[in-house]
Amino acid sequence: MTRRSCAIYTVGAICALLLVTGIALMVAQVFPSIMHKRLKKEIVLVEGSRVFDSWKTPPPPVFMEYFFFNVTNVDELLKGAKPVVNQVGPYTYREYRYKDNVTMVENGTKVLAYNTRSFVFLRDKSVGDPAVDAITTVNIPHWAAMNKMQGFPKSFMLSMMISASKSTLFTTRTVHELLWGYHDALLDRISRSKPEVEKVFGLMYKKNGSHNGEFVFHTGEQNYLDYGRIETWNGERQLTYWSTNISNIITGSDGSAFHPLLNRSERIYVFSPDLCRTIYMEFEKDVKVKGIPAYRFTPPRSVFASKQENPANEGFCVTPQECLGTGVLKVSPCRNGAPVVASFPHFYLAEDKYISAIEGMSPQRSHHQTFLDLNPTTGVIVRANKRAQVNVLIKKISGYPDTKALNETIFPVMFLNESVEIDDASAAKVNKLLMIVNVGSNFPLIIMGLGGIMLLVFIILLVRAHQQKKEAKRIVFTKAVYATSTEDDTSYTPVSSKEKDDGQNGNYIGLTAKLEQ
């Protein structure tokens, strides 16, 4: 092989590599776009899509844990002492969720549904029997009534009802009664003159087997960023509980679906009917669940911050004069005026004054933080913990002598932990989908890698061919040297014409000696 041939082959190999690289770069521009379009088409809330059935009936088990705060010093508390509580729980229930009355609307661009939930008690995951275990806590119906009926003669009339019903500021009830409802004597008295007042009270009363309102969601067919986004709740695009538009806005997801192709810099919004508002979450860190990569999103401190710390929260003040500090939210506007206050468990992310006011509070991020772990490619929830605490604002109320010694305190009643983790079968499906997407995204690199390997193989073969050519030349040269060194004694002559023309063995050359003349 001549130097010119080697140069030609080398140039050809380089051109081939450049061609392969060019094709790879072209594919790099086009292929991810194709994969993303395919992904956006698959992740839509329409019949037959990859996610529709799991959105209607989520396969992973959801668990609801309830923890109660048992008061141990009621007599001292009524005299002005700091409340002392101890945490009791969990009382765990399997939560069954499904979308009911699912109906496509507006040519399939939106879908109407009701979020229905039911609960089944799990004894093996609980500390005791909710029908037996008793908790001493603040009497919420009693405090709600006093807050509603202030000023003479309302306070006088209610005081008469309180005396007749033997209702007290604190009550002892079983866990089952506190959760699912009990017949309250004071409410019974009030309902005689106000039939609209419910006689039964429970923190989860009427929530077993019921829904939390009519939702209309975007399917994501028109824009993948709208996948699962709420259009209306109970026919409304805004709430009416708060004093500003930004506080009343209904936006984001209901917490069951998030758009694909998430990025770390975005905020995700979740509307919660229980909190009577929309909250937002921000990226915290990368995690992995059952081999699935995920972004962890959590509510920052600013969500429940005071109006001084976060001016955007000014609209959540019940009145300009009645505005709580960081870490708590008074939800009485959507609780019929009851002095109910929401927070994270143990006042996590709240001001120290709320934590120190109750003996027995110990906020810890690992136990009390709310978070969502979302796979960024698909938007699928791989793990989540929703944690919230129900509190009651207790204080001195004019016209009710039993409250005269009380300090104003946000009193913890109960907190819940609603948790879910993707099941093995669903995790396998997500991992398979991610593998397909990853292979597609890395396809240009694979092409370039194969092109590089082919070039390397070509160069190796070229070098070997060159070496073999040199070796052949060396052998011929050596034979020639030996042949000419005895030119006076020997010479190469054909033995016969038959041997010269032998078709099977080729040309034979005989070595004969010349006789000296």
Side-chain angles (χ1 to χ4, degrees), residues 138-310:
V138 62
N139 190 340
I140 297 178
H142 191 117
W143 282 94
M146 289 192 301
N147 273 268
K148 288 278 286 185
M149 302 178 73
Q150 294 188 45
F152 191 84
K154 292 180 181 179
S155 60
F156 176 76
M157 293 173 59
L158 182 60
S159 294
M160 296 292 289
M161 294 180 189
I162 290 172
S163 179
S165 62
K166 298 181 181 181
S167 182
T168 55
L169 296 176
F170 289 82
T171 185
T172 300
R173 298 284 177 178
T174 67
V175 169
H176 184 84
E177 288 176 322
L178 290 172
L179 283 176
W180 309 113
Y182 61 91
H183 191 279
D184 185 82
L186 178 58
L187 293 177
D188 183 63
R189 290 270 177 176
I190 296 172
S191 67
R192 295 175 188 178
S193 57
K194 295 184 176 181
E196 69 275 11
V197 173
E198 185 70 61
K199 299 177 185 180
V200 177
F201 171 79
L203 295 167
M204 296 291 292
Y205 179 56
K206 289 186 175 180
K207 291 186 178 181
N208 195 354
S210 64
H211 61 79
N212 56 4
E214 178 196 90
F215 284 88
V216 174
F217 303 95
H218 287 264
T219 62
E221 196 167 33
Q222 292 180 316
N223 185 345
Y224 79 98
L225 292 173
D226 286 336
Y227 168 74
R229 184 172 66 83
I230 299 168
E231 172 70 7
T232 61
W233 177 61
N234 289 331
E236 301 294 333
R237 287 187 171 87
Q238 278 203 323
L239 303 171
T240 57
Y241 305 130
W242 313 109
S243 59
T244 62
N245 288 335
I246 193 170
S247 299
N248 280 317
I249 192 169
I250 298 173
T251 189
S253 164
D254 67 337
S256 65
F258 297 90
H259 71 78
L261 306 177
L262 289 160
N263 63 70
R264 294 180 179 88
S265 61
E266 68 180 293
R267 274 183 173 178
I268 61 172
Y269 292 84
V270 178
F271 172 67
S272 172
D274 295 329
L275 288 176
C276 315
R277 62 163 291 185
T278 298
I279 67 168
Y280 54 85
M281 300 187 184
E282 296 175 347
F283 173 80
E284 180 185 272
K285 61 181 179 181
D286 288 278
V287 296
K288 188 168 281 191
V289 181
K290 296 186 177 180
I292 303 171
Y295 294 166
R296 174 161 293 181
F297 287 88
T298 64
R301 178 183 167 94
S302 58
V303 169
F304 285 157
S306 66
K307 67 176 182 179
Q308 289 79 17
E309 193 173 322
N310 182 6

Side-chain angles (χ1 to χ4, degrees), residues 28-96:
Q29 296 293 323
V30 176
F31 203 85
S33 176
I34 294 172
M35 292 300 294
H36 287 170
K37 284 181 180 178
R38 177 71 182 273
L39 197 63
K40 293 170 188 176
K41 186 177 180 181
E42 286 289 336
I43 302 180
V44 289
L45 297 178
V46 296
E47 289 281 0
S49 72
R50 192 180 291 270
V51 296
F52 189 70
D53 288 339
S54 60
W55 173 77
K56 284 177 61 178
T57 310
V62 180
F63 299 100
M64 183 73 87
E65 297 176 315
Y66 296 99
F67 299 82
F68 288 86
F69 295 103
N70 185 61
V71 192
T72 59
N73 66 333
V74 172
D75 293 338
E76 293 80 5
L77 190 159
L78 292 173
K79 295 175 184 178
K82 178 192 290 189
V84 178
V85 302
N86 64 283
Q87 180 179 296
V88 181
Y91 295 91
T92 307
Y93 293 77
R94 170 74 186 271
E95 181 180 346
Y96 292 88

Side-chain angles (χ1 to χ4, degrees), residues 323-482:
C323 202
L324 301 178
T326 292
V328 292
L329 173 69
K330 191 171 183 181
V331 293
S332 55
C334 62
R335 292 291 181 269
N336 295 318
V340 177
V341 177
S343 71
F344 293 120
H346 286 249
F347 299 110
Y348 172 69
L349 295 182
E351 293 179 35
D352 288 339
K353 66 179 181 180
Y354 299 119
I355 301 167
S356 60
I358 308 291
E359 189 173 325
M361 296 292 98
S362 179
Q364 300 174 45
R365 185 173 72 170
S366 58
H367 295 301
H368 305 135
Q369 180 191 51
T370 289
F371 66 84
L372 280 170
D373 292 343
L374 306 175
N375 174 251
T377 304
T378 62
V380 169
I381 301 170
V382 294
R383 182 170 54 199
N385 279 84
K386 173 188 172 184
R387 291 156 172 161
Q389 183 167 294
V390 176
N391 313 276
V392 172
L393 178 62
I394 63 172
K395 60 180 182 179
K396 179 180 178 179
I397 301 177
S398 179
Y400 301 98
D402 289 349
T403 67
K404 64 181 180 180
L406 292 175
N407 297 311
E408 182 170 323
T409 308
I410 296 180
F411 194 92
V413 177
M414 174 269 289
F415 81 83
L416 59 87
N417 176 27
E418 188 176 27
S419 62
V420 63
E421 183 173 311
I422 192 168
D423 61 287
D424 292 341
S426 299
K429 291 179 182 177
V430 173
N431 274 315
K432 184 178 179 181
L433 178 62
L434 293 177
M435 183 184 67
I436 294 170
V437 173
N438 288 334
V439 169
S441 299
N442 294 321
F443 192 60
L445 296 177
I446 295 170
I447 293 176
M448 292 180 69
L450 289 173
I453 292 170
M454 290 172 65
L455 176 64
L456 184 62
V457 170
F458 181 83
I459 291 172
I460 291 171
L461 293 174
L462 195 65
V463 170
R464 283 185 177 179
H466 186 64
Q467 288 177 342
Q468 288 174 356
K469 182 69 175 179
K470 287 177 66 177
E471 183 66 22
K473 284 183 177 180
R474 186 183 66 79
I475 293 171
V476 172
F477 176 76
T478 303
K479 286 183 177 180
V481 169
Y482 280 109

Side-chain angles (χ1 to χ4, degrees), residues 97-161:
R97 289 179 164 226
Y98 58 93
K99 297 287 194 299
D100 202 9
N101 294 333
V102 177
T103 308
M104 305 306 296
V105 295
E106 297 188 29
N107 296 321
T109 60
K110 298 181 181 68
V111 57
L112 181 151
Y114 294 85
N115 295 328
T116 303
R117 301 187 298 172
S118 59
F119 302 87
V120 176
F121 179 65
L122 302 177
R123 182 64 184 85
D124 62 323
K125 293 182 178 292
S126 304
V127 297
D129 186 345
V132 175
D133 297 353
I135 302 294
T136 299
T137 186
V138 62
N139 190 340
I140 297 178
H142 191 117
W143 282 94
M146 289 192 301
N147 273 268
K148 288 278 286 185
M149 302 178 73
Q150 294 188 45
F152 191 84
K154 292 180 181 179
S155 60
F156 176 76
M157 293 173 59
L158 182 60
S159 294
M160 296 292 289
M161 294 180 189

